[in-house]
Amino acid sequence: MFQLTTRPSGSTDQTLDLQQDALTKAGCTKIFTDTASGAQTERKGLQEAISYVRAGDTLVVWKLDRLGRSLKDLITRIKELEIRKIGFKSLTENIDTTTSGGKLIFHIFGALAEFERDIIRERTSAGLEAARSRGRTGGRPKSLTASKQALAQKLYADKETSVTEICKMLGISRTTLWRYVKE
């Protein structure tokens, strides 16, 4: 068994000792430690632990938040471990993917996360539809009114005014001018 322990910045060494004692008692033979917050994107100890474990090993964490920053991140990491035939165990939450009960709990977490994403997607779609029915459209407002757009196209077609002058006159960028000219 291998383990990952983290110590959020500003916490005492007692927290780290508590984790390490629990892991040693659980039979972990190698312990990796991060001294940065578990919410950090770059966690050297986590990367070392994931690189170190091999098929047939079990990655043990003191608490689920030591492995992933969010439920989605946690599920992704555990699926990656499962593909590599590496077990996962969380001591605090008592989840062990090497057992059928632990796999069930984990799959329930995954289903709940997917359900949450679907609900958010449905709410977003309903909100956008309601806004459209009231005549509102999303996105950034147009840079030019219809009359200014027609003026930009006319000035560009006449070729007497330079692109730079047209952009200055209308207060737009070259890219915006090209977009309106193509319409």
Side-chain angles (χ1 to χ4, degrees), residues 40-83:
Q40 295 286 327
T41 307
E42 280 292 318
R43 295 187 291 166
K44 188 178 173 191
L46 174 61
Q47 295 308 317
E48 287 175 3
I50 290 175
S51 296
Y52 186 84
V53 291
R54 300 290 179 252
D57 290 341
T58 300
L59 179 68
V60 181
V61 295
W62 183 68
K63 199 170 181 184
L64 279 175
D65 65 358
R66 302 305 185 250
L67 185 65
R69 300 180 316 269
S70 65
L71 184 57
K72 180 183 174 190
D73 187 39
L74 184 64
I75 290 168
T76 302
R77 288 188 192 276
I78 293 178
K79 282 183 181 177
E80 289 170 0
L81 291 172
E82 187 177 16
I83 290 167

Side-chain angles (χ1 to χ4, degrees), residues 93-96 100-112:
E93 289 83 6
N94 201 21
I95 295 174
D96 185 352
S100 55
K103 285 180 186 174
L104 173 65
I105 296 290
F106 181 70
H107 287 294
I108 290 171
F109 282 170
L112 290 172

